[in-house]
Every structure is written in C-alpha cells, then in structure tokens.
Amino acid sequence: MSAVGDDSLAAGLARAHGAPVLTAKIRTTAEDFLVEEVPGFEPTGSGEHLLLTIEKRGMNTAFAAKRIAQWAGVGEVAIGYAGLKDRHAVTRQRISVHLPKRIAPDLAALQDDELKVLEHTWHAKKLPRGALAGNRFVLVLRGIDGDRAAIEARLQAIAARGVPNYFGEQRFGRDGDNVANALAMFAGRRMRREQRSILLSAARSQLFNQVLAARVAAGAWDRGLEGEVWALDGNRSVFGPEPFTQALAQRLAAFDIHPSGPLWGRGELRSRDAAAELELAALAGDGEQALCQGLEAAGLNQERRSLRLRAQDLAWRWLDDGALELAFRLPAGSYATVVLDELGATTAPTPMRWSA
C-alpha cells in the first residue's frame, strides 16, 4: 500500500483523532450508501394523513414528494417529510399525505423499481421537519488505500470517544459559497426568503465549526472546561454552567452529556470563564464578527449544540473484494461525513445530503 497523504477537513477543520489513515471512494453505486430514518414517534393509526414508509433509489426527497403528490392528486403543500435524503443512495424514510376524505389511490400505481412503499398507515398530523430520532447508515468504502490495522484502530478510537460534531460541508453549499453569500446578505443584498433561511443556517454553522475547531486544537472537544454549558445526549436541552463533579464526569464518560458550543444569536453568551474565553477568541476575527452581528440583526437567539457526536452501534467488516462496510446510527441533525472525515479523505461523484 502507498502512504496515505495528509489532508484536512472541509474549511481547514482539524481532526480529533490524528492524521488520516485512508483514502477511499464512497457511493460507487447507490447500494453502497444506505440511509434509513429512525422514527421519532409511533403513528396514531387514525386521522387524515396517510403515512407512507418508502424506499427509493436514484431519487431525492423533493422529487419523491412531488411524485407522491401527483399520485394522490393533491398539492405539494399536503406532503410532509422529516428530513431530506439525496438522490444518489438507497434511502428509507416516512412521507405523509393529507387526504381529508381518507381515500387513497391504489398504492400499486405509485410503485416501481425506483420507489417502493414498505409500510402505510394513518396518522393524525402532517409529518413535520425534524420528526425523527436519527438515521441508520450502512456505507461501503471502496478503492481503499491505507493500512488495515491502522484503519481498525481508528474505528475503535471513534467508537470509544466519538467525533467532533462539526456541521458537514453540505451545509455550506455545493460550491462552498453560502457563508460569502450570507455576508453579502448582511451587507444589504436582497435574498429570497427560502435562500435567506439557508444562508442564516450556514453563517451559524460556520461560527459553531470555528469554535469546535478551537476546542479540538485545545484537546477539549470531548471534555469540559471551566464555565462549561452541558448538552444532553439526543436532544437540544442544556444546563449549566455549574461545578464539575464526579457525577458529571460519570455522565460525560457514559455519553449522557456533552460539552456544547454556541449557535450564535442575540442575548448573553451562556458559557463562562475558560469556555467563554475560548469561544470569544475563536470568533474575534473581522469575518466572524460580521457573521455574529448579522445573525443578531436577523433576530436569531443564542442557542447551544453538542460538541461531541457518538456514532452509535458502530460496526465494520471487510468484504471479499477489500471494501470496508461501516454501519452506525446518528442522531437527527448530525452528519455521516464527519465520521468518515476522521478516517481520511473519501471521494464521491457528487455532493450529498448526509444529515437528517
């Protein structure tokens, strides 16, 4: 095997587990990238919304929603889905259809090799964005260049410690220009409403990633600093700052809580002491300050996000052709790319949405 060259994460973000241990190709075929939503609730079994669990190939969520709306004879506003899934994959997700008369067309007319209905039932409400517990991934890496023992050691480290909970590069646009466009918007350029929301999210994500990169550089992305605000695992609740006790240490080791970083907006920064000092220093540049001021002027409020991400149920196996299959589960709002980035550089034919 040839040596694996060093590289960096998107936007120059540092790895937590050291230099890359592989290069590989991802998503050579759609079957090499399987995503399955983990439902966030049980259907009511009654109501005016037909809840479909679908499996699709070569089709993104927006296209599937349009196709289902046409099949049902309703407008796209009647369609609900919890998360976006990319075209170049095999994906399983829920989609709801508002049918007030509770009369659905023949399901056979909807299905073909690209879209299959796995389950269907009735539900009381439209499926809102974010109504999922997370996603299960089964990914196959091919054309691997790297030492197998080093790769397995890195996977064991990821399973034991987790990875930095960066926002993935998909958050910043296909050409990575969402942050520049956000700065232009804050300077007065007019944007469409839907584009404005995307740019605000990108600006917030950029600032969060800056803080997290500073924590990684300080070796403090998975441990608390003085003045830490703690995030509960699996939801958006936070608490603190408060003195670090043995009880908190045990919860941190068990992945029940995580250190947090700011999602910038109006209001007082919640962290204190060393944690606040690091956050403010990471955001002291002119560009960062322009983003902070723009988010405040846009009316967003201070929130927090976990700095650490656990790849739950992480498992791997080597296939007969030398490919590596990875399986893991992530909570909603996190990115599979950040798990892969801790291994090394993986290339895919086109950008993908790998979050929920």
Side-chain angles (χ1 to χ4, degrees):
M1 295 270 183
S2 63
V4 177
D6 199 2
D7 68 339
S8 61
L9 292 165
L13 302 176
R15 287 186 175 85
H17 293 283
V21 294
L22 62 71
T23 60
K25 295 179 180 179
I26 185 67
R27 197 176 39 92
T28 304
T29 68
E31 286 71 22
D32 283 351
F33 191 88
L34 173 64
V35 192
E36 181 177 11
E37 285 185 352
V38 180
F41 62 89
E42 289 296 324
T44 60
S46 62
E48 298 182 345
H49 296 264
L50 181 63
L51 191 61
L52 305 173
T53 301
I54 65 169
E55 179 180 282
K56 55 189 181 60
R57 287 174 169 79
M59 184 184 307
N60 64 26
T61 300
F63 187 88
K66 180 179 293 186
R67 176 168 159 178
I68 291 170
Q70 292 172 345
W71 163 79
V74 299
E76 290 184 48
V77 69
I79 306 298
Y81 46 84
L84 292 170
K85 303 292 181 289
D86 194 85
R87 171 184 175 185
H88 302 283
V90 176
T91 61
R92 298 169 187 156
Q93 67 179 123
R94 284 175 168 178
I95 292 185
S96 68
V97 190
H98 188 206
L99 297 170
K101 295 183 179 180
R102 289 176 51 89
I103 299 175
D106 183 7
L107 286 172
L110 175 62
Q111 304 188 78
D112 57 21
D113 290 342
E114 295 180 338
L115 190 153
K116 299 183 185 303
V117 177
L118 304 179
E119 297 179 2
H120 65 280
T121 188
W122 292 97
H123 188 59
K125 298 179 180 179
K126 180 179 180 178
L127 185 60
R129 293 294 294 272
L132 70 164
N135 290 292
R136 295 186 185 92
F137 296 87
V138 180
L139 313 179
V140 179
L141 306 185
R142 301 189 184 276
I144 292 175
D145 186 4
D147 178 72
R148 184 172 293 196
I151 293 169
E152 293 195 358
R154 178 62 53 85
L155 287 167
Q156 290 166 356
I158 290 170
R161 292 183 61 191
V163 298
N165 191 26
Y166 288 120
F167 284 99
E169 60 184 359
Q170 308 90 318
R171 193 76 173 225
F172 304 104
R174 179 163 295 184
D175 299 317
D177 56 2
N178 281 355
V179 173
N181 288 335
L183 287 169
M185 178 178 69
F186 295 152
R189 182 186 297 175
R190 299 186 65 179
M191 300 288 181
R192 299 187 308 274
R193 179 180 297 180
E194 61 272 18
Q195 188 176 14
R196 176 181 172 82
S197 176
I198 292 171
L199 298 183
L200 290 173
S201 294
R204 256 188 159 186
S205 302
Q206 174 72 9
L207 297 175
F208 177 86
N209 279 3
Q210 289 282 109
V211 170
L212 178 49
R215 295 279 296 245
V216 172
W221 63 276
D222 61 348
R223 65 177 178 84
L225 297 176
E226 193 70 28
E228 190 70 64
V229 178
W230 298 99
L232 293 178
D233 186 61
N235 61 55
R236 297 182 179 182
S237 299
V238 299
F239 67 94
E242 61 183 61
F244 191 63
T245 63
Q246 183 62 32
L248 287 180
Q250 292 173 351
R251 295 180 68 185
L252 177 64
F255 287 90
D256 180 49
I257 60 172
H258 311 279
S260 72
L263 296 172
W264 202 265
R266 299 179 303 181
E268 184 179 0
L269 190 65
R270 182 160 176 170
S271 57
R272 295 287 184 271
D273 303 324
E277 290 174 11
L278 184 149
E279 291 170 8
L280 293 173
L283 304 180
D286 291 342
E288 288 78 13
Q289 283 300 296
L291 292 175
C292 288
Q293 293 164 13
L295 290 166
E296 292 171 18
L300 277 72
N301 294 320
Q302 285 277 346
E303 296 179 276
R304 307 288 294 188
R305 171 182 166 94
S306 170
L307 296 176
R308 181 175 66 165
L309 172 65
R310 176 173 57 158
Q312 300 177 51
D313 306 321
L314 176 62
W316 60 90
R317 66 186 181 110
W318 295 94
L319 305 182
D320 291 341
D321 59 0
L324 175 62
E325 181 185 89
L326 304 176
F328 52 89
R329 182 164 59 92
L330 298 180
S334 53
Y335 292 77
T337 46
V338 303
V339 178
L340 298 181
D341 283 337
E342 286 294 333
L343 293 172
T346 56
T347 57
T350 56
M352 298 187 66
R353 295 183 185 274
W354 289 3
S355 73

